[in-house]
Amino acid sequence: MRIRSLAAAFAAVATVSAIGLTGCSSGTDTPTGPVALGTANDINPQPRDAIRDGGNLRLAVGEFPPNWNALTNDGNTVDFGRITQPMMPRAFTTDAAGRTAVNHDYFTDVQLTNTAPQQVTYTINPKAVWSDGSPITWEDIASQARSLNGEDKRFLIAITNGFERVAKVERGVDDRQAVLTFKQNYAEWRGQFSGNAMLYPKSVTADPESFNHALADHITLTAGPFQVQSTDRTQGRIVLARNPKWWGETPKLDTITFSVLDQAAEPAALQNNELDAAQLYSLSDLATVRSSQGLVIRRTPGTMWRHLTFNGAPGSILADPGVRVAVSKAIDRTAIAATVMNGLEDNPKPLNNHVYVQGQEGYQDNSLPFDPDAAARELDALGWKLQGDVRVKDGRPLVIRDVMYNSDLWVGVAKIIQQNLERVGAKLTIDTRPSQNIFTDVFIPGDFDLAQFQWQGDAFPLSGVPQIWGYYPGNVQGNYGRIGSPALNDLIDRTLSELDPKKAIDLANQVDRGVFEEGHSLPLTQDPGNWGVRSNVANYGAPGLASYDYTTIGFVK
């Protein structure tokens, strides 16, 4: 599953004062730490007995949740994913290499029990309960499967997550066991209640009204080591506290506090002892942490990436796939990476795959080359002729509106693209918007020609393939540009039906090449994974592909 973010480097903003968009590193050393995703991570691992009991972990988010149901299209954000992780059930955990293990807090076993037809059996931990004390049962799983299967378009879902392939969900040996029978094989079955996905109670997923609106202002039932203690939309603060009905290991922390902050303000808040951790997006952010006592930089390349989404809807200036591909070839992604990421990672380079990030098994370069001369020839052939400095066809100038959150870094990236496109006779206008509700009000309705934001991936990359690059009219999910084809849908279907992991990777890379060739979207750079963290914080920082264990996060004795 992919969740979206506005982060100027895959949620909120970063400054470019130190970057200056000139490629100058200002003499700042590149951060040290694990340099390859999938090998290690950097979280200051400590055993439970080295961590003191109690304490409040102070974190930041870019906005108050627009919807507390993360399964909805407007609740599918990176910030909210971070808030829900300590509170909601997931079937599998992952380590730094992305290897999965059953999450025994919630399930005693999750097994692929048949392949013809495919069946997956979930055996729920008999101790697992929702925060009101009611048991988690097979009915919660069945209700969520129905709500996400895509059949009832009144459910405003972010992703089907493979449930469109589930024929039925049945009670197993008792209420604590669910058996999913698939009508089509689903390669990423481990990710249906894992990674960025989570299980919600049947009271939320039972009908469209409750699914879409019941959690618009607050969350109801949860089932994690933490639960919501208080929220204050005016102050922009959410406090989680220990769940008294939690059946697993007692969390070391007493509370986790999320404060809504402009991301440009996070490093200073960290320096002023108002936060305990913050993601770092600029050289000035790194310098702030390096100059502050009690803070350290933790680094593991992340699964978040910056990209451009093209709008291919009828009537859009980019409705013609040939124009989108030409524009793609005219954008110098290597220059963008060198400018934006210099000093933030060892060897800045663009991300060249939509499905996999660098360091993840399956990653390979499937991109189209940077070739402005070819782009100009292709635009000529499509009938876009130069009139002065701008190409025109049928009286319409080639003016492209690039919409983004109002941050210096995003605008800086847009200015590089603006210069690239001028070379081939296209004009780019920069259209900045406030962050609050930008997805709900702008990106999801398709109010853009180009959209700049970030996707957050996880250890289950195939689940996001139909979500973003499949095109199913009436079921947008994450395909905000409304771009796709029956041929690509068919290839996506074949990929998700392949239970052999190596064959699925090969097919996924064919999908990725197809996405490039239809001009759907253009990956730019991968998150370098730099975090500033208070030095006494344990088991938290730059996680890479690993999931956090919120019962062990805390402060060293």
Side-chain angles (χ1 to χ4, degrees):
M1 180 177 180
R2 299 291 195 276
I3 50 181
R4 65 198 181 224
S5 167
L6 294 174
F10 206 65
V13 301
T15 64
V16 292
S17 56
I19 298 176
L21 291 172
T22 64
C24 176
S25 66
S26 303
T28 306
D29 295 332
T30 302
T32 58
V35 294
L37 187 70
T39 58
N41 60 10
D42 195 3
I43 61 170
N44 188 23
Q46 298 291 333
R48 287 181 62 86
D49 59 9
I51 303 167
R52 65 180 173 89
D53 291 324
N56 173 41
L57 183 70
R58 299 163 299 171
L59 305 174
V61 291
E63 65 174 346
F64 208 84
N67 191 322
W68 290 76
N69 180 358
L71 306 175
T72 63
N73 215 338
D74 54 353
N76 179 40
T77 69
V78 168
D79 279 339
F80 185 50
R82 290 171 177 163
I83 295 169
T84 57
Q85 282 175 6
M87 298 194 295
M88 303 303 288
R90 288 168 171 81
F92 288 89
T93 60
T94 55
D95 64 12
R99 293 183 295 254
T100 60
V102 174
N103 188 340
H104 290 296
D105 283 332
Y106 298 106
F107 297 93
T108 58
D109 196 22
V110 182
Q111 289 263 354
L112 179 65
T113 47
N114 201 355
T115 57
Q118 181 181 359
Q119 286 186 320
V120 178
T121 301
Y122 290 81
T123 303
I124 302 166
N125 185 332
K127 298 179 181 178
V129 295
W130 297 108
S131 50
D132 65 353
S134 62
I136 298 174
T137 74
W138 76 278
E139 292 180 322
D140 296 304
I141 292 174
S143 179
Q144 186 154 316
R146 285 191 297 270
S147 69
L148 296 183
N149 66 18
E151 293 180 6
D152 189 338
K153 300 302 187 291
R154 295 175 299 167
F155 287 92
L156 303 180
I157 63 175
I159 181 174
T160 57
N161 212 28
F163 290 110
E164 78 280 9
R165 294 166 173 261
V166 173
K168 57 183 177 180
V169 180
E170 298 174 293
R171 182 179 185 270
V173 296
D174 56 25
D175 283 348
R176 296 288 193 154
Q177 189 175 78
V179 181
L180 277 64
T181 302
F182 291 73
K183 54 190 175 186
Q184 287 178 279
N185 286 350
Y186 184 55
E188 202 77 282
W189 58 270
R190 290 180 181 85
Q192 290 191 293
F193 298 104
S194 303
N196 293 325
M198 62 205 75
L199 177 64
Y200 272 80
K202 61 184 179 182
S203 58
V204 171
T205 58
D207 59 74
E209 178 62 27
S210 59
F211 185 92
N212 299 335
H213 304 299
L215 304 189
D217 297 315
H218 65 283
I219 200 164
T220 51
L221 300 182
T222 56
F226 290 87
Q227 64 182 19
V228 173
Q229 175 178 283
S230 63
T231 64
D232 188 328
R233 186 178 291 272
T234 302
Q235 294 294 320
R237 188 163 293 118
I238 298 164
V239 180
L240 311 185
R242 290 178 182 175
N243 175 7
K245 292 186 168 58
W246 174 246
W247 56 94
E249 290 273 13
T250 301
K252 287 292 184 176
L253 293 168
D254 289 323
T255 54
I256 303 172
T257 298
F258 294 92
S259 298
V260 176
L261 283 178
D262 188 297
Q263 198 163 69
E266 287 185 30
L270 186 64
Q271 184 181 48
N272 295 334
N273 198 24
E274 298 166 3
L275 295 176
D276 295 306
Q279 198 158 6
L280 309 177
Y281 292 110
S282 73
L283 298 180
S284 60
D285 293 348
L286 295 172
T288 296
V289 172
R290 286 194 175 102
S291 65
S292 305
Q293 288 190 342
L295 300 179
V296 295
I297 294 172
R298 304 211 178 276
R299 178 195 177 204
T300 305
T303 57
M304 187 184 296
W305 72 94
R306 180 189 294 113
H307 83 292
L308 302 173
T309 278
F310 292 73
N311 190 342
S316 167
I317 194 72
L318 299 175
D320 185 337
V323 176
R324 297 195 300 268
V325 169
V327 168
S328 297
K329 291 179 180 179
I331 295 173
D332 190 350
R333 298 183 305 119
T334 298
I336 291 172
T339 300
V340 173
M341 309 302 286
N342 188 28
L344 300 178
E345 63 180 30
D346 302 311
N347 181 27
K349 53 189 175 183
L351 183 68
N352 293 317
N353 197 298
H354 294 85
V355 180
Y356 302 102
V357 291
Q358 296 177 55
Q360 194 167 33
E361 184 182 6
Y363 180 82
Q364 66 184 44
D365 184 349
N366 298 314
S367 63
L368 302 176
F370 168 58
D371 192 340
D373 293 335
R377 290 193 302 270
E378 290 167 16
L379 289 171
D380 277 334
L382 292 167
W384 289 92
K385 303 301 183 181
L386 273 174
Q387 293 185 12
D389 295 330
V390 180
R391 293 179 181 272
V392 176
K393 181 179 181 180
D394 299 330
R396 187 180 190 185
L398 188 53
V399 178
I400 299 167
R401 187 167 51 95
D402 186 4
V403 182
M404 70 211 72
Y405 172 70
N406 188 12
S407 83
D408 290 341
L409 185 54
W410 279 123
V411 171
V413 170
K415 288 181 177 178
I416 296 174
I417 297 170
Q418 193 174 53
Q419 294 171 0
N420 293 159
L421 295 186
E422 283 179 0
R423 179 176 172 181
V424 300
K427 181 179 179 181
L428 187 82
T429 61
I430 299 172
D431 185 352
T432 59
R433 306 291 182 94
S435 64
Q436 191 68 38
N437 298 324
I438 192 171
F439 286 99
T440 302
D441 297 339
V442 180
F443 293 150
I444 294 174
D447 182 15
F448 62 89
D449 297 324
L450 291 178
Q452 289 191 45
F453 61 96
Q454 297 191 109
W455 286 114
Q456 170 73 62
D458 57 26
F460 306 94
L462 298 186
S463 62
V465 172
Q467 174 193 13
I468 304 172
W469 303 293
Y471 181 48
Y472 315 101
N475 185 12
V476 171
Q477 298 186 61
N479 190 345
Y480 306 141
R482 279 81 170 167
I483 295 171
S485 67
L488 188 60
N489 280 4
D490 180 65
L491 185 55
I492 290 171
D493 183 72
R494 288 168 52 204
T495 303
L496 294 178
S497 299
E498 181 53 68
L499 295 181
D500 183 312
K502 293 189 181 300
K503 292 179 180 178
I505 285 173
D506 178 67
L507 287 166
N509 276 295
Q510 293 180 45
V511 169
D512 178 52
R513 179 66 182 189
V515 171
F516 276 110
E517 290 176 344
E518 68 178 10
H520 178 285
S521 50
L522 197 61
L524 298 176
T525 55
Q526 181 176 342
D527 172 25
N530 295 318
W531 282 79
V533 186
R534 210 154 295 285
S535 58
N536 64 340
V537 173
N539 300 314
Y540 191 88
L545 289 172
S547 50
Y548 284 124
D549 179 353
Y550 282 87
T551 68
T552 65
I553 295 172
F555 299 91
V556 294
K557 292 179 179 177

